[in-house]
Amino acid sequence: TAVDVFLLALPILVGCGDASPKVDTPPPAIKTAAQPAAELTPALSLASKPEIGLANADKVKQLLAAAMGKVVVVNVWATFCIPCIEEMPELAQFYKDRDPKRVEFISLSADPLYSLDDAVKPFAAEMELPFPIHVLDELPPDDLLGVLGAASTGWGGELPATFILDSSGTLKKFWPERVHLKDLTAA
């Protein structure tokens, strides 16, 4: 299965999944030189479930602006991150149970762009993720914090990370680790 492939590849990957939720170095902004984002976008719009697209700073700003007046839950994750994989069923349940008129959920994948077809799409299909996925494109952690208005968290790119913004766009909660359904529903 796709999850088995991810688990086999974990020892060679730098990042999450160890006992500590911290990563020594934040994930770099990812962009493939061989295939610019503009060339990737049409392939991402193919009929796939869930919807998967790219997100740079402007796209994240658009997503947040469209959700103004709602509570916004932003989850940053990657397919190579064990705690991220473990929290996905609970995030999917949260997404299905939430009141979409009051709560928006934004899923941001930190996977490299070159892994869209080989990792992100198969993972989303196997996990039956019901929410749109936005793969970060040239958006390092510091810049994402600026867009989210969450610089006070000191987040350095550790995965997973979940931010809750109130209906006015102000940061209310932050988890620099796996989040659980009970945490989200209590927030």
Side-chain angles (χ1 to χ4, degrees), residues 3-124:
V3 173
D4 294 330
V5 172
F6 302 132
L7 295 176
L8 289 173
L10 283 173
I12 62 171
L13 298 170
V14 176
C16 62
D18 59 6
S20 165
K22 287 284 193 183
V23 174
D24 292 334
T25 56
I30 301 166
K31 178 125 173 125
T32 58
Q35 192 173 21
E39 293 176 17
L40 286 172
T41 304
L44 294 175
S45 63
L46 295 175
S48 63
K49 195 173 187 178
E51 177 185 325
I52 299 174
L54 300 179
N56 58 18
D58 289 337
K59 177 63 175 181
V60 175
K61 287 176 187 174
Q62 290 172 3
L63 293 168
L64 293 172
M68 190 55 74
K70 298 179 185 180
V71 171
V72 180
V73 176
V74 179
N75 179 258
V76 186
W77 61 280
T79 60
F80 56 81
C81 167
I82 290 174
C84 301
I85 294 167
E86 293 172 343
E87 75 180 357
M88 279 301 148
E90 291 183 75
L91 291 173
Q93 190 61 51
F94 174 77
Y95 181 82
K96 291 175 189 174
D97 292 347
R98 84 196 195 301
D99 177 355
K101 293 179 184 174
R102 294 187 20 217
V103 179
E104 187 62 52
F105 182 81
I106 300 173
S107 171
L108 300 175
S109 167
D111 284 282
L113 294 179
Y114 64 79
S115 70
L116 283 169
D117 290 330
D118 296 335
V120 179
K121 288 180 180 181
F123 176 81

Side-chain angles (χ1 to χ4, degrees), residues 145-162:
L145 285 178
V147 171
L148 296 176
S152 64
T153 65
W155 181 65
E158 305 85 18
L159 299 173
T162 304

